[in-house]
Amino acid sequence: MAIRNRQWVLERRPKGQVREDDFRLMETEVPPSRDGEVLVQVRYLSLDPYMRGRMDEARSYAAPQPVGQVMVGGTVGTVLESGNPRFSAGDTVVGMGGWQEYFVTDGAGLTKVDARAVPESAYLGVAGMPGVTAWYGLTRIGQPKAGETVLVSAAAGAVGSVVGQLAKLLGCRAVGIAGGPAKCSHVVKELGFDACVDYKAHGFREALKADTPSGVDVLFENVGGAVLDAALSRMNPFGRVALCGLIAGYDDQGFSLESVRPVLVNRLKVQGFIVSDHMELWPKAIQELAGHVAKGRITWRETVAPGIESAPRAFIGMLRGENLGKQLVKM
Ligand code: NDP
């Protein structure tokens, strides 16, 4: 019997903030899989800030999401049928299945994962792309030494939460920046950071100064704008900045800095990076991260939206900061 598939396509490019009607839900039939192909049933879809960038037409490191096509997205799922010798029915697989319930693939970019030691959804978060992003930016660009201070913005999110926990494992002081007292409390009490500063609260800059008494040696930047200006003002000489994301500017393209003076006077090394440029390091990073997870040295949170219908609303919520930890959709 034919399988019905529900898919979200990009209806039109957003103007400013994303709206639910920028997407359209379509119902189609899953095409039969041919020799060499694999039919996957998606169990979790990952919703990530990079998708906002793809919805625009601006030149970037990746091609824009085509209008009328299924939205791009990372997924973890179960193989239902396989005509490909690398996969068998029942395998748990991670891939770029997109915003849909089923997909057929030739297996390129599909990876079999072990869902016994680490729960399958974690392969989209702490033991997946966001975790590798944290690992790469911190260890390869930040290169913190024990005793140094690591500051990370969007600290309660998928990437930021891992950055701070890895920094603690490396013997550093970990300070987060997050929106609101509940998130800050989670970052300190559950994730084990030494401090977390609420950027939405009055007196943010003073609080940041108080919580970074020895300055900042490594800044892992996820936000940009006023948060980045404040963070740069705390940098120590010869500090390193891993420029990972600029989410505060994704809707209105407001990417400007108050001043680049701190970069010069403190002789900072600032490096932007895109985690998919470093695929050769993913297996090593995932092995390390999964090891930390299995041994209980890294913890994580997920915000799980129910059903494919909820994807646009959950995506918009994540961009507004309604998520704690990794934002997922459970099919
Ligand atoms: P998160 O789970 O951190 O979710 C996004 C968070 O961003 C929200 O929860 C919100 O937290 C915060 N945020 C949203 N708008 C603003 C704003 N105007 N000012 C300050 N904070 C804001 O997402 P990820 O962990 O997946 O991604 C974090 C960053 O890392 C993003 O910038 C993303 O683009 C980037 N990234 C980069 C990669 C790379 O290869 N360079 C790969 C993966 C992610 P709060 O409530 O605290 O405001």
Side-chain angles (χ1 to χ4, degrees):
M1 202 181 75
I3 303 174
R4 302 295 293 169
N5 192 16
R6 287 182 297 168
Q7 321 173 295
W8 282 104
V9 301
L10 179 63
E11 175 74 354
R12 57 161 185 241
R13 303 206 181 279
K15 294 195 172 51
Q17 288 188 349
V18 181
R19 295 165 32 154
E20 285 187 47
D21 54 6
D22 293 332
F23 306 91
R24 179 162 46 91
L25 188 61
M26 284 184 38
E27 212 171 307
T28 57
E29 239 173 50
V30 178
S33 56
R34 291 174 303 210
D35 213 27
E37 291 186 332
V38 184
L39 168 63
V40 181
Q41 179 172 23
V42 175
R43 292 180 53 81
Y44 288 93
L45 163 69
S46 174
L47 296 175
D48 297 273
Y50 74 82
M51 295 164 176
R52 175 66 190 85
R54 301 276 176 96
M55 292 171 81
D56 289 335
E57 226 160 11
R59 193 176 77 85
S60 188
Y61 62 90
Q65 159 76 41
V67 173
Q69 305 257 316
V70 178
M71 282 291 297
V72 65
T75 52
V76 64
T78 309
V79 172
L80 291 187
E81 287 170 17
S82 178
N84 181 316
R86 287 175 49 223
F87 302 97
S88 310
D91 284 349
T92 301
V93 286
V94 174
M96 295 300 288
W99 294 29
Q100 56 185 339
E101 294 175 305
Y102 300 88
F103 65 100
V104 172
T105 164
D106 63 5
L110 202 65
T111 310
K112 204 162 126 172
V113 294
D114 181 355
R116 287 167 303 180
V118 174
E120 58 187 357
S121 59
Y123 287 103
L124 298 177
V126 60
M129 186 277 281
V132 179
T133 303
W135 181 93
Y136 182 86
L138 185 69
T139 66
R140 293 307 197 261
I141 299 176
Q143 300 183 8
K145 296 181 225 21
E148 288 190 329
T149 296
V150 173
L151 176 64
V152 56
S153 50
V159 174
S161 59
V162 180
V163 172
Q165 293 183 83
L166 286 177
K168 288 302 294 176
L169 289 171
L170 292 168
C172 298
R173 175 174 172 79
V175 180
I177 299 176
K183 283 195 178 182
C184 282
S185 164
H186 164 76
V187 165
V188 173
K189 294 197 180 125
E190 288 179 48
L191 303 179
F193 286 43
D194 296 286
C196 183
V197 190
D198 178 0
Y199 73 90
K200 292 180 176 168
H202 183 68
F204 163 54
R205 279 196 178 231
E206 292 71 27
L208 183 62
K209 191 172 174 188
D211 279 329
T212 53
S214 310
V216 172
D217 303 289
V218 174
L219 168 62
F220 193 108
E221 184 55 40
N222 284 323
V223 166
V227 170
L228 174 56
D229 285 320
L232 282 179
S233 75
R234 295 301 303 145
M235 294 302 293
N236 287 328
F238 304 104
R240 287 81 69 199
V241 179
L243 193 51
C244 174
L246 296 167
I247 194 165
Y250 290 175
D251 277 337
D252 62 3
Q253 306 288 307
F255 295 121
S256 54
L257 265 182
E258 194 175 79
S259 170
V260 288
R261 185 173 179 273
V263 177
L264 176 63
V265 298
N266 291 315
R267 292 83 92 204
L268 304 182
K269 191 169 172 181
V270 181
Q271 189 179 336
F273 73 100
I274 297 298
V275 70
S276 52
D277 288 336
H278 308 285
M279 294 310 295
E280 76 288 355
L281 291 171
W282 282 47
K284 176 180 164 59
I286 290 176
Q287 194 186 12
E288 248 178 62
L289 291 160
H292 288 318
V293 166
K295 294 200 170 79
R297 291 193 290 242
I298 289 187
T299 182
W300 76 98
R301 274 291 191 98
E302 291 169 348
T303 299
V304 184
I308 182 90
E309 315 85 304
S310 65
R313 205 172 324 117
F315 177 62
I316 293 166
M318 183 271 297
L319 292 173
R320 287 186 189 145
E322 287 165 18
N323 61 312
L324 186 61
K326 178 75 203 113
Q327 179 68 59
L328 299 168
V329 175
K330 188 172 194 308
M331 301 299 183

